[in-house]
Amino acid sequence: MKIGIAGYGNLGRGVEAAVTNAKDMELVGIFTRRDPASVKPATDTPVYGFAALNGMEDEIDVLVLCGGSATDLPVQTPEFAARFNVVDSFDTHANIPQHFANVDAAAKAAGTVGIISCGWDPGLFSLARLYFSAVMPEGVDYTFWGRGVSQGHSDAIRRIPGVADARQYTVPVPEALARVRAGENPELTTRDKHTRECYVVAEEGADLAAIEQAIVTMPNYFSDYDTTVTFISQEELDAEHKGLPHGGSVIRSGRTGLASEFADTLEFSLDLDSNPFFTGSVLAAIARAAFRMSEEGKAGAFTILDIAPAQLSPLSKDELLAHIV
Amino acid sequence: MKIGIAGYGNLGRGVEAAVTNAKDMELVGIFTRRDPASVKPATDTPVYGFAALNGMEDEIDVLVLCGGSATDLPVQTPEFAARFNVVDSFDTHANIPQHFANVDAAAKAAGTVGIISCGWDPGLFSLARLYFSAVMPEGVDYTFWGRGVSQGHSDAIRRIPGVADARQYTVPVPEALARVRAGENPELTTRDKHTRECYVVAEEGADLAAIEQAIVTMPNYFSDYDTTVTFISQEELDAEHKGLPHGGSVIRSGRTGLASEFADTLEFSLDLDSNPFFTGSVLAAIARAAFRMSEEGKAGAFTILDIAPAQLSPLSKDELLAHIV
């Protein structure tokens, strides 16, 4: 199947790697809003402007959209779904129903498949929430994120006057994790569940106390958390904090039995060296499913909850029965 | 939807509890090979002999088969699939392809849906193996079972002369688990991965040394493991070892990135007070999917890998988009 990538930031690089390494996929082009000459891919894939997509409908089976959820995907996914099978990792949870409706209308009108919100949260964590609640209806879900870099929070720190660079880690509170895993079903506030560690490079002469105060009191981002701020040099940040590791867990603690007499705990967790390269690898598997669903004549918007798991795998039905089931 | 249960052992009791507690399901009958008068269900569900199923095709939407994998299900699942939508937890991994083919032929001829091998392994662990390998193709899977009671191994001990009762626990080796979780990708033998703990009640005057020797040297069951044998009284076994807890983990340790430069670990684990009651709860969710797939006009054999996740949930599409994705 022939894959295109629209948007070439960290996530686009992740999709490029995953598609290049998949035996059943061919990467036909990287498409960018920037000047194509300014984009240097990691492979020898040709780079085009977005306008080049006009007329390439027959050359691309699935277009993987790697823009941001704030402003790119709400526009791009419906637009491109009107011409291509598309896959995205739209991750603004509150807006997923609206995004789904927009993509569904465009894809149904065009006869294409649009699969949205397929990274790891939403995406694999959505699957965990679905399966866990379906097979153990009585229970409580907990989602923990980290230890990992939050790019949104890092950006928020960088916008503070006097900050030259910053990296923010979201860290689950070990005691909270332990209580949930032990089946205690604790009531946990935002502050109980995660702490936030900030590594900040200040501009020369900046007021460090003012920067720290601006961070720890920032509403939505930091004020509801126990936040630590550590000032470091640009060299140290570049040497120690340039990666984008992440991870997390979905844990459901619940009960089975006629009178709820048995306690059970289910957990899905991941630990990633690179958030965007792993998310890119997920999107490549989703693109395989999008292609197959389109070949079956399906059309409209879908999430990972609508995809039969076997559709994601390059293995044949017989191989799945013999080795995976 | 109207559910029947065929076979009323531990698993049948688990399905009875789960279906009784599900708001969208009605348990219409328990069917047994034994004398129905000898079966006392935990609810006021009527009990019938298997013969009563003749003519009840319109009164049962899905029949959940709770017999054993050794001799019951290979015969029962194809037979009942010729008349009912059926669900089973057939767990003899090596024979799944043949079982699938038998059920597929019967279900396709009858226009029914037969979903096989849906407990937690095979079942939820099959899902983990599928999703993990699809989203991270480069990697190695490890499956650990326990700490939990193996009923097959407990039965094997009870067949040794001089043994009055026994309970066997399968226990993952903590060091092996830790190495896998740390991403070391170790090569592990059977002995490296699990130990076996046996609690044995000897008959009066029995030769304890001979019993222990018979256990630890038993081929297939114990000879490949580090096995400990502890003799206890019937009272202690009844007090401390009558439950059927179990659990386990599927862990995939792998790499992403164009040159495999990033290491990632994915894990699904469960910890269960009661293996049969949890498995029964899984089967109830699968029965919901079987009913819906049948209503859609599907026919033939399926595994959990063929079921779109949303089919398992009682939640509506809008609820899933708003709260689960």
Side-chain angles (χ1 to χ4, degrees):
Chain A
M1 62 201 81
K2 293 170 290 179
I3 307 292
I5 293 173
Y8 192 70
N10 285 325
L11 181 57
R13 288 184 176 80
V15 175
E16 176 190 25
V19 170
T20 301
N21 288 336
K23 291 190 184 68
D24 57 347
M25 296 184 183
E26 179 194 353
L27 182 56
V28 297
I30 291 167
F31 300 86
T32 178
R33 261 183 319 212
R34 292 178 274 166
D35 172 11
S38 73
V39 171
K40 304 290 175 218
T43 58
D44 55 5
T45 307
V47 181
Y48 308 95
F50 271 7
L53 283 164
N54 296 317
M56 288 187 77
E57 287 78 0
D58 293 340
E59 293 168 54
I60 295 173
D61 292 317
V62 183
L63 190 62
V64 182
L65 307 183
C66 298
S69 294
T71 55
D72 297 336
L73 297 176
V75 177
Q76 288 176 3
T77 313
E79 269 188 19
F80 286 126
R83 294 185 287 147
F84 297 92
N85 298 315
V86 296
V87 166
D88 81 20
S89 61
F90 182 79
D91 67 359
T92 311
H93 282 267
N95 297 343
I96 286 174
Q98 185 60 55
H99 187 58
F100 185 93
N102 296 345
V103 176
D104 196 47
K108 282 208 172 108
T112 61
V113 167
I115 307 182
I116 67 160
S117 300
C118 288
W120 57 270
D121 192 4
L124 301 185
F125 276 18
S126 316
L127 286 174
R129 289 186 285 263
L130 184 296
Y131 283 118
F132 291 179
S133 62
V135 303
M136 187 168 63
E138 183 185 347
V140 183
D141 281 340
Y142 296 86
T143 303
F144 290 91
W145 296 274
R147 186 173 193 262
V149 172
S150 166
Q151 296 181 260
H153 287 74
S154 300
D155 289 343
I157 298 172
R158 278 192 286 264
R159 285 192 292 265
I160 296 171
V163 171
D165 204 349
R167 191 58 53 117
Q168 193 272 173
Y169 295 88
T170 306
V171 185
V173 175
E175 294 74 22
L177 255 177
R179 292 183 64 197
V180 169
R181 285 183 175 141
E184 291 184 25
N185 280 11
E187 286 203 27
L188 298 172
T189 64
T190 297
R191 191 177 300 275
D192 292 334
K193 286 179 69 184
H194 297 92
T195 53
R196 296 195 177 276
E197 295 176 4
C198 310
Y199 295 88
V200 179
V201 180
E203 291 171 356
E204 210 171 306
D207 180 342
L208 302 190
I211 291 173
E212 178 164 353
Q213 191 62 16
I215 294 172
V216 301
T217 60
M218 195 185 296
N220 300 319
Y221 284 84
F222 293 103
S223 63
D224 294 336
Y225 298 84
D226 289 340
T227 301
T228 57
V229 177
T230 305
F231 290 97
I232 61 177
S233 67
Q234 185 72 54
E235 292 68 33
E236 186 177 348
L237 188 137
D238 291 346
E240 306 290 336
H241 303 285
K242 271 298 166 189
L244 292 169
H246 220 312
S249 302
V250 176
I251 305 173
R252 188 170 177 87
S253 174
R255 298 204 150 254
T256 54
L258 195 58
S260 308
E261 59 269 48
F262 303 112
D264 308 313
T265 305
L266 310 177
E267 175 167 354
F268 168 57
S269 59
L270 40 73
D271 182 10
L272 310 173
D273 266 3
S274 168
N275 186 357
F277 276 81
F278 180 77
T279 302
S281 191
V282 174
L283 283 170
I286 300 294
R288 178 180 293 118
F291 173 70
R292 290 172 172 176
M293 291 162 73
S294 177
E295 294 285 298
E296 290 170 1
K298 290 186 174 155
F302 302 88
T303 72
I304 200 166
L305 305 184
D306 304 311
I307 305 172
Q311 301 271 36
L312 303 178
S313 174
L315 298 179
S316 71
K317 178 138 203 156
D318 286 345
E319 288 170 321
L320 294 177
L321 284 172
H323 304 301
I324 300 289
V325 176
Chain B
M1 61 201 81
K2 294 171 289 179
I3 307 292
I5 294 173
Y8 192 69
N10 286 324
L11 181 57
R13 287 184 177 80
V15 175
E16 177 190 24
V19 169
T20 300
N21 289 335
K23 291 190 184 68
D24 58 346
M25 296 185 184
E26 179 194 352
L27 182 56
V28 298
I30 291 167
F31 300 86
T32 177
R33 260 184 320 210
R34 292 179 275 167
D35 172 11
S38 72
V39 171
K40 304 291 175 217
T43 58
D44 56 4
T45 307
V47 181
Y48 306 96
F50 271 6
L53 283 164
N54 295 318
M56 289 187 75
E57 286 78 1
D58 292 341
E59 294 167 54
I60 295 173
D61 293 318
V62 183
L63 189 61
V64 182
L65 308 183
C66 298
S69 293
T71 56
D72 297 335
L73 298 175
V75 176
Q76 288 176 4
T77 313
E79 268 187 19
F80 285 125
R83 293 185 288 147
F84 297 93
N85 298 314
V86 295
V87 167
D88 80 22
S89 61
F90 182 79
D91 67 359
T92 311
H93 282 268
N95 297 341
I96 286 173
Q98 184 60 54
H99 187 58
F100 185 94
N102 296 344
V103 176
D104 196 47
K108 282 209 172 109
T112 61
V113 167
I115 307 182
I116 67 160
S117 300
C118 287
W120 56 269
D121 193 3
L124 301 184
F125 276 19
S126 316
L127 286 173
R129 288 186 285 262
L130 185 292
Y131 282 118
F132 291 179
S133 62
V135 303
M136 187 169 63
E138 182 185 348
V140 183
D141 281 340
Y142 295 86
T143 303
F144 289 91
W145 296 275
R147 187 175 192 263
V149 172
S150 166
Q151 297 182 260
H153 288 75
S154 301
D155 289 343
I157 298 172
R158 279 192 286 265
R159 284 192 293 266
I160 296 172
V163 171
D165 205 348
R167 191 59 53 120
Q168 193 271 175
Y169 295 89
T170 306
V171 185
V173 174
E175 295 74 23
L177 256 176
R179 292 183 63 196
V180 168
R181 285 182 176 142
E184 290 183 26
N185 280 11
E187 286 203 26
L188 297 172
T189 64
T190 297
R191 191 176 300 273
D192 292 335
K193 287 180 69 185
H194 297 93
T195 54
R196 296 195 179 273
E197 295 176 5
C198 311
Y199 295 88
V200 179
V201 181
E203 292 172 356
E204 209 172 306
D207 181 343
L208 303 190
I211 291 172
E212 178 164 352
Q213 192 62 15
I215 295 171
V216 302
T217 60
M218 195 185 295
N220 300 319
Y221 284 84
F222 294 103
S223 62
D224 293 337
Y225 298 85
D226 289 339
T227 301
T228 56
V229 178
T230 306
F231 290 97
I232 61 176
S233 67
Q234 185 72 52
E235 292 69 34
E236 185 177 349
L237 186 138
D238 291 346
E240 304 291 337
H241 303 286
K242 270 298 166 189
L244 292 169
H246 220 314
S249 302
V250 176
I251 305 172
R252 187 170 178 87
S253 174
R255 298 203 151 256
T256 54
L258 195 59
S260 308
E261 57 269 50
F262 302 113
D264 308 315
T265 305
L266 311 177
E267 175 166 355
F268 168 56
S269 60
L270 39 74
D271 182 9
L272 309 173
D273 266 3
S274 168
N275 185 357
F277 276 80
F278 180 77
T279 303
S281 191
V282 175
L283 282 170
I286 300 294
R288 178 179 293 118
F291 173 71
R292 291 172 172 177
M293 291 161 73
S294 178
E295 293 286 296
E296 289 170 3
K298 290 186 174 156
F302 302 88
T303 72
I304 201 166
L305 305 184
D306 304 310
I307 305 173
Q311 301 270 38
L312 302 178
S313 174
L315 298 179
S316 70
K317 178 137 203 157
D318 286 346
E319 288 170 322
L320 293 177
L321 284 171
H323 305 299
I324 300 288
V325 175

